[in-house]
Amino acid sequence: MPGENLSRDEAHERAALLSVDGYEVVLDLRSAVGDSADAVRTFRSETTIRFRRTGEGTSTFVDLIAPAVTAVTLNGRSLDPEAVFDGSRIALDGLADENVLVVDAQCAYSRTGEGMHRFVDPEDGEVYLYTQYEPADARRVYATFEQPDLKAPHLFAVTAPEGWTVWSNGAGEQDAEGVWRFAETAPISTYISCVVAGPYHYVTDRYTRTLADGTELEIPLGAMCRKGLARHFDADDVFLVTKQGFDFFHDNFDYPYPFGKYDQAFVPEYNLGAMENPGMVTFREEYIYRGKVTQAAYERRANVILHEMAHMWFGDLVTMVWWDDLWLKESFADFMGSFSLAEATRFTNSWVTFANNRKAWAYRADQLPSTHPITADIRDLEDAKLNFDGITYAKGASVLKQLVAYAGRDAFLEGARRYFKRHAYGNTRLTDLLTILEETSGRDMKAWAKSWLQTSGVNTLTPAVSHDAEGRITELAVLQEGDELRPHRAAVGLYRLTDGQLTRYARAEADITGARTVVADLEGEAKPDLVLVNDDDLTYCKVRFDEDSLATLRAHLGNITDPLARALCWSALWNQTRDALMPARDFVSVVLAFAGRETDIGVLQMVHAWGKSAVTHYAAPAWREEGGRLLAEGALRELRVAEPGSEHQLTWARFFAATASSEADFQLLEGLLDGAAKIDGLDVDQELRWSLLSPLAAHGRADEARIGEELTRDDTATGKRHQVRLLASRPSAAVKAQAWAQVVESDTLSNALVEATIAGFVQPSQRELIAPYAEKYFAVIERLWAERSIQIGMDVVRGLFPGLQDDEATLAATDTWLSAHESAAPALRRLVLESRDDLARALRAQDCDRLAG
């Protein structure tokens, strides 16, 4: 029988055979605390599933991944667990028209963030539990029909250690026997059911609203975190954004929040940003800030809060049939996160962040060999796991933003309202949404969807400008390149340098179609210093510049007054660098010239990341050292002139630490840590201390004892992760061997510590030291993929790929592995192919930079 990797065909066959009436899940989590002599710590899970046979056939299977099954009963008939359970499925034969299945199992606590994750806080020894399932890990906690289109009500009962509180999707309370019992949910998919349990710090509030029909809506709100983080938890701001989001979505969706209460749990060792479990949303606890952060960090958190809230409608109320249409929830939630952020919160420039940050993720993903249409071909669960990517999220959101420009805001929102009402608690495909949008917009959505949703790749738009002798535009055309030439609703802006400011003086929107489109509305305008295609970021494309515009940006990018236009220009220059059209050293020069004038803190942080990446990956090896020195000098210069105590000062301090490379740099970092050096207004809190210590460890100036001293100052879960990362970053062959063994040869580390160890192991300044591991990598990845969970497999295969060995030999070794492993798991091959593409791109960019040297 097949293993854990459920295929689309199997899911479709099962959905045609049966429908599910409900789950009753009883969990005993008392084994989470105390010592355990067992090699695998387990908990008891008893599941009752009521389901009906609606199609032809009398046999099927239920999903369960567990160390042991104690008993299986189907319609009162006992089945032999050893005969029907293979480790991931329970075979069921002799189905009746109406069926009751009872499965009693011992399920395993997780250390990988999949299923029932168990975390022991090193600060106080407290144990915390939470579940994470998407796309298919509910089967690690209870027996399920693990596919999104078999929705059903869930009824949970949980026995927990004394003194604990337990939460689930529905409201709950503890009965006289000490069992936590929860209200039955509305019909939901298994992957969004949830249990959170432990001695969490819990804060409450409530949201109230008078609906259009005059009824009063009241939603109990809760927010929680580990007790060790309680002193840092700004729950008031979480609740503020939550209420603003509920206002926005109720104003625009005309469908009241359907899941009762709304709890938000910030949990440890979380693999994702967050998960939209209805009534019980989970977030990574890194969104609780232990030290000073910038407004960009608060904006990111607010965006995630609103993204998950949008899922209550897009994804939870209405769910895709199969993971092919994952975009029906993720693209919409990603778009709605930025949309609501701009219109309902203090973060009114969220579209700037979207253009500069989210779309960079999309552009990269859409140029990989694994690129796929937004509506993807998802053959199985491994495919599904890898498709939570920049295309499904950020490209999909970009395309929806373009759809709003194409169809109109009112038509788009009316389409959403009809979609919810027509398909509430059901499952949908692409055609269901398109039918409604055609109703509301009057547009041909099928043609639009064919161009934008069912093809892959990103178009490039370049202006071609002609002038007369008097300097007036005689023709401005937009040239489109790409495998699929799509219709774009785009704006073209003309900018002029006046009194030291680069401002827009003319703008025209046009439907860009085919290889060449003339924008007639701009004929006769005065010659611009800068032509910006896709001004206001209406469409999804890479932007290029004519020669005059590019020269203007090299000299005056920092003079652009509009923050969105400036962000678009930064992004375009970075894309040219990645595409080997601009030498990395030229991009670094632009960063050094204008990053200090960037007012948007989120854009500045992105520019910093791009500048460092340009030196690490895209600069010619002979220029890397100089490029790094220039970045460090520039960072220190801006740090010293930044406003004391400002978020810009903090951002430049972090960038200086990330680029420090000289003896003087290291002495300054040591002085900031021990108090011998001061920079006016810079608060060296604990999180900044770890940032300052990181380069010292990587360059051999902070040994194990010094790192241990810092852990003593910060003996917390977060401090432990920092310590593990820094220990693995030390420039020692023995250290690297130990780190490699901990990640590759052992599975004792938790997901968070695997991530930290990999981050420490891979250091750009240690290329020669880790070179021997390139060959070892290719020797172990297939075995590792087979033995580890998919999450850990993804982390290791991506994280340890020898991309820093950026030469033709590594490229050839990658090709050799791919040729010799054509039958390897498609998901594994995809990860290696993506890393190979990154390496090949880096080599092309290095060639470009070398020629400029």
Side-chain angles (χ1 to χ4, degrees):
M1 185 178 289
E4 299 178 12
N5 192 17
L6 178 73
S7 74
R8 176 177 53 202
D9 290 344
E10 290 174 310
H12 286 177
E13 290 173 7
R14 188 162 61 178
L17 175 65
L18 59 89
S19 63
V20 186
D21 294 324
Y23 290 91
E24 296 177 22
V25 181
V26 179
L27 304 177
D28 187 345
L29 303 178
R30 288 175 292 183
S31 58
V33 299
D35 296 331
S36 173
D38 297 331
V40 177
R41 186 186 289 261
T42 63
F43 59 93
R44 185 180 180 187
S45 168
E46 185 176 9
T47 309
T48 301
I49 311 176
R50 291 177 168 81
F51 64 100
R52 286 170 287 123
R53 184 169 59 110
T54 56
E56 298 297 324
T58 58
S59 64
T60 188
F61 60 92
V62 70
D63 301 291
L64 178 68
I65 298 175
V69 171
T70 306
V72 180
T73 303
L74 176 63
N75 300 329
R77 174 169 52 97
S78 294
L79 307 180
D80 179 4
E82 292 188 2
V84 299
F85 179 57
D86 69 352
S88 62
R89 298 180 179 187
I90 298 173
L92 302 177
D93 292 315
L95 298 181
D97 290 340
E98 295 187 359
N99 301 275
V100 178
L101 174 69
V102 180
V103 178
D104 195 344
Q106 290 294 316
C107 293
Y109 294 104
S110 169
R111 292 282 283 152
T112 66
E114 301 153 298
M116 179 71 73
H117 188 79
R118 178 178 179 271
F119 173 78
V120 181
D121 192 334
E123 187 173 1
D124 55 19
E126 295 281 17
V127 176
Y128 294 89
L129 304 179
Y130 63 86
T131 59
Q132 171 56 36
Y133 298 148
E134 192 173 41
D137 285 319
R139 56 189 171 151
R140 297 181 186 274
V141 175
Y142 62 100
T144 74
F145 294 111
E146 192 77 283
Q147 56 192 80
D149 57 342
L150 290 178
K151 300 173 84 168
H154 284 64
L155 192 65
F156 283 95
V158 180
T159 303
E162 185 177 354
W164 278 25
T165 305
V166 184
W167 294 265
S168 186
N169 303 90
E173 60 182 9
Q174 194 171 23
D175 66 16
E177 286 75 37
V179 178
W180 290 86
R181 299 188 183 278
F182 296 90
E184 187 175 61
T185 72
I188 60 174
S189 302
T190 55
Y191 76 89
I192 50 176
S193 63
C194 185
V195 172
V196 175
Y200 285 89
H201 170 71
Y202 185 57
V203 185
T204 62
D205 202 338
R206 59 188 54 248
Y207 171 82
T208 58
R209 178 187 181 89
T210 302
L211 300 176
D213 62 3
T215 59
E216 294 295 323
L217 175 67
E218 183 173 298
I219 304 173
L221 305 178
M224 68 195 77
C225 67
R226 289 186 295 112
K227 290 192 295 186
L229 286 175
R231 64 187 181 276
H232 305 294
F233 192 23
D234 52 339
D236 287 347
D237 192 53
V238 171
F239 286 138
L240 172 63
V241 174
T242 300
K243 293 175 183 179
Q244 290 169 332
F246 272 130
D247 278 341
F248 177 86
F249 293 125
H250 283 107
D251 286 343
N252 288 283
F253 287 172
D254 191 32
Y255 196 108
Y257 170 70
F259 297 110
K261 71 177 181 70
Y262 198 76
D263 283 321
Q264 298 175 94
F266 294 79
V267 297
E269 298 190 324
Y270 203 54
N271 287 323
L272 312 176
M275 184 64 206
E276 68 267 18
N277 314 304
M280 186 67 258
V281 183
T282 43
F283 298 82
R284 64 186 302 120
E285 69 177 16
E286 284 80 0
Y287 288 125
I288 298 174
Y289 304 119
R290 304 192 315 149
K292 183 177 179 180
V293 296
T294 67
Q295 282 302 302
Y298 290 106
E299 180 184 338
R300 280 193 294 273
R301 182 176 71 183
N303 186 291
V304 175
I305 289 171
L306 297 174
H307 175 115
E308 303 310 320
M309 186 179 291
H311 273 311
M312 300 300 117
W313 291 267
F314 286 108
D316 293 0
L317 177 67
V318 185
T319 311
M320 69 274 158
V321 171
W322 178 248
W323 302 102
D324 293 345
D325 282 312
L326 176 63
W327 81 282
L328 281 173
K329 72 183 189 78
E330 293 302 348
S331 299
F332 276 87
D334 216 50
F335 169 76
M336 284 294 173
S338 293
F339 188 21
S340 57
L341 201 64
E343 301 210 354
T345 75
R346 65 188 184 271
F347 304 107
T348 55
N349 279 342
S350 65
W351 287 122
V352 176
T353 305
F354 181 84
N356 190 249
N357 186 310
R358 299 298 283 180
K359 291 182 85 168
W361 182 27
Y363 294 143
R364 175 187 177 271
D366 214 7
Q367 296 174 87
L368 291 170
S370 58
T371 185
H372 56 84
I374 294 172
T375 54
D377 178 25
I378 304 299
R379 298 160 296 183
D380 53 36
L381 292 177
E382 286 193 359
D383 278 357
K385 184 74 172 179
L386 267 63
N387 264 44
F388 290 83
D389 60 12
I391 294 172
T392 302
Y393 283 72
K395 180 181 179 180
S398 303
V399 168
L400 288 176
K401 190 177 185 216
Q402 194 260 152
L403 174 61
V404 173
Y406 173 70
R409 171 183 170 132
D410 292 343
F412 175 79
L413 290 172
E414 177 58 26
R417 290 188 282 268
R418 294 187 191 183
Y419 180 70
F420 302 141
K421 291 171 183 175
R422 196 170 299 177
H423 298 290
Y425 303 109
N427 296 86
T428 57
R429 295 181 172 89
L430 168 64
T431 53
D432 298 307
L433 179 66
L434 295 183
T435 297
I436 293 173
L437 288 174
E438 285 186 343
E439 293 173 8
T440 60
S441 70
R443 294 268 198 168
D444 179 5
M445 287 294 127
K446 294 181 183 65
W448 176 86
K450 182 178 180 181
S451 292
W452 282 105
L453 302 180
Q454 297 170 329
T455 61
S456 61
V458 56
N459 297 123
T460 298
L461 301 184
T462 306
V465 190
S466 301
H467 312 92
D468 60 21
E470 297 178 355
R472 296 284 173 179
I473 294 176
T474 55
E475 183 183 82
L476 193 156
V478 177
L479 310 181
Q480 180 178 189
E481 297 177 271
D483 293 336
E484 172 80 15
L485 301 184
R486 300 179 178 87
H488 297 261
R489 184 65 180 175
V492 179
L494 306 182
Y495 289 74
R496 179 187 297 127
L497 188 64
T498 305
D499 297 328
Q501 294 186 327
L502 199 55
T503 56
R504 188 171 69 192
Y505 64 91
R507 175 188 184 275
E509 285 191 24
D511 289 320
I512 308 299
T513 58
R516 190 175 191 275
T517 301
V518 174
V519 184
D521 290 347
L522 294 176
E523 291 180 12
E525 293 287 350
K527 179 181 178 181
D529 294 306
L530 168 67
V531 179
L532 180 56
V533 177
N534 197 29
D535 206 359
D536 296 323
D537 197 36
L538 298 184
T539 192
Y540 172 78
C541 66
K542 289 196 296 186
V543 172
R544 301 290 194 229
F545 301 103
D546 62 282
E547 290 186 8
D548 290 345
S549 295
L550 187 57
T552 296
L553 290 176
R554 289 175 182 271
H556 301 289
L557 189 153
N559 298 95
I560 300 174
T561 56
D562 180 70
L564 178 55
R566 201 167 56 244
L568 291 170
C569 291
W570 278 118
S571 177
L573 294 182
W574 175 240
N575 278 320
Q576 291 195 200
T577 305
R578 293 188 73 247
D579 291 344
L581 297 175
M582 171 177 273
R585 66 191 69 196
D586 288 6
F587 182 79
V588 169
S589 294
V590 176
V591 171
L592 292 171
F594 302 119
R597 299 172 61 180
E598 180 54 60
T599 58
D600 187 290
I601 199 68
V603 173
L604 177 60
Q605 291 171 344
M606 202 70 189
V607 168
H608 283 169
W610 290 340
K612 184 168 172 51
S613 186
V615 170
T616 300
H617 299 292
Y618 301 147
W623 190 77
R624 277 189 197 132
E625 184 175 350
E626 181 182 353
R629 177 184 59 78
L630 290 171
L631 283 181
E633 290 176 354
L636 182 57
R637 182 170 59 251
E638 296 296 341
L639 170 60
R640 293 195 183 281
V641 301
E643 180 183 349
S646 67
E647 60 182 4
H648 279 72
Q649 183 189 54
L650 176 61
T651 299
W652 282 108
R654 292 187 180 279
F655 188 51
F656 171 63
T659 56
S661 58
S662 71
E663 176 66 23
D665 293 342
F666 298 143
Q667 289 181 2
L668 177 56
L669 294 176
E670 290 165 343
L672 291 170
L673 283 167
D674 63 24
K678 299 286 185 182
I679 294 178
D680 185 27
L682 184 65
D683 179 16
V684 183
D685 60 27
Q686 187 57 61
E687 281 300 301
L688 184 55
R689 288 185 64 85
W690 284 113
S691 295
L692 301 179
L693 187 59
S694 293
L696 299 177
H699 288 84
R701 298 182 69 104
D703 59 13
E704 182 175 3
R706 175 62 187 89
I707 297 167
E709 291 172 6
E710 201 64 32
L711 180 65
T712 301
R713 291 178 59 105
D714 184 25
D715 193 9
T716 64
T718 306
K720 180 63 177 178
R721 289 195 294 273
H722 285 308
Q723 180 223 19
V724 167
R725 175 174 56 82
L726 265 62
L727 287 175
S729 74
R730 291 170 296 156
S732 156
V735 164
K736 298 304 176 183
Q738 181 183 34
W740 178 270
Q742 288 173 333
V743 170
V744 174
E745 305 302 335
S746 169
D747 64 355
T748 59
L749 293 181
S750 71
N751 55 323
L753 296 186
V754 166
E755 181 181 350
T757 304
I758 291 172
F761 181 90
V762 180
Q763 294 295 319
S765 61
Q766 299 169 4
R767 281 179 162 87
E768 293 184 5
L769 185 61
I770 60 177
Y773 293 92
E775 183 178 354
K776 295 179 181 180
Y777 170 88
F778 291 113
V780 302
I781 54 174
E782 190 168 29
R783 171 182 62 81
L784 189 143
W785 186 264
E787 294 175 353
R788 304 293 179 88
S789 73
I790 189 170
Q791 181 63 52
I792 297 299
M794 289 166 57
D795 290 344
V796 175
V797 172
R798 279 178 174 151
L800 291 180
F801 181 84
L804 289 176
Q805 310 311 311
D806 42 3
D807 53 33
E808 293 294 337
T810 306
L811 197 65
T814 309
D815 289 338
T816 298
W817 186 92
L818 288 166
S819 297
H821 295 81
E822 292 184 356
S823 61
L828 171 59
R829 285 182 55 83
R830 170 177 169 167
L831 293 171
V832 176
L833 279 165
E834 289 177 348
S835 295
R836 182 208 183 277
D837 191 76
D838 285 338
L839 175 57
R841 178 179 292 273
L843 293 176
R844 291 193 298 271
Q846 289 172 23
D847 286 342
C848 171
D849 191 60
R850 188 179 296 109
L851 292 173

